[in-house]
Amino acid sequence: MSGKPELKGRAARLARLFPTGRAQAARMPFVLLVVLLLGGGLIGLLVLNSALSEGAFKLDDLQRETKSLTDEEQALQRDIDAYSAPEALQRRARELGMVPGGDPAFLERDGTVKGVPSAAPGTWQSAAYTPLVLAPEAMPNGPAPTPGR
């Protein structure tokens, strides 16, 4: 007989579930592996969560920049529309000294002229006419000196 008492019934079944001695030593690498896997998983989740948060901040910044650029584009489009309006074009043409054209004449395919051309009405042909905007070479004092030369 050995120094261990023999167990019967329920105690014997429980004793078989929890082996002693070498069996506990064999469990140590498994427990260590499970702890390492759980720790690695937690660290991986932390890194993934940080990357997702960083991506969310970048997305927010890009959306804000997109909104700003869209607003700027719409303002520029409104400016283009204002400059392209017929009234604005007519006003700017008059400021430049332009006048509405006369009646045009058209050439047919056979070379005949269709219509009677006429000169544009206005005072642009008079000697007193001076355009409002002059090229630098046409200025009375010559071209303005450029800075840095």
Side-chain angles (χ1 to χ4, degrees):
M1 213 168 157
S2 66
K4 288 197 230 172
E6 258 187 62
L7 300 173
K8 295 182 182 177
R10 185 175 179 179
R13 282 183 275 151
L14 284 175
R16 278 187 261 143
L17 291 177
F18 300 109
T20 59
R22 279 202 221 171
Q24 281 185 339
R27 279 190 187 177
M28 198 57 168
F30 177 72
V31 170
L32 186 61
L33 175 68
V34 169
V35 168
L36 287 174
L37 286 175
L38 287 175
L42 287 175
I43 291 173
L45 284 174
L46 178 66
V47 168
L48 182 64
N49 191 15
S50 298
L52 288 174
S53 296
E54 183 181 348
F57 284 124
K58 283 183 182 178
L59 179 64
D60 187 46
D61 290 343
L62 290 174
Q63 285 174 340
R64 191 175 302 119
E65 184 179 353
T66 300
K67 184 184 180 306
S68 170
L69 291 173
T70 302
D71 292 345
E72 183 180 351
E73 178 191 15
Q74 289 174 353
L76 291 172
Q77 188 63 45
R78 278 193 305 270
D79 291 347
I80 289 171
D81 292 341
Y83 285 126
S84 300
E87 299 84 22
L89 289 175
Q90 182 181 18
R91 180 184 45 78
R92 288 181 32 230
R94 287 192 190 272
E95 288 173 359
L96 293 172
M98 297 177 150
V99 294
D103 293 330
F106 300 97
L107 291 177
E108 296 288 335
R109 289 185 178 164
D110 60 0
T112 59
V113 178
K114 182 177 180 183
V116 178
S118 66
T123 60
W124 63 274
Q125 293 175 343
S126 70
Y129 169 73
T130 306
L132 296 177
V133 178
L134 295 175
E137 297 82 23
M139 298 295 277
N141 300 334
T146 55
R149 286 192 182 183

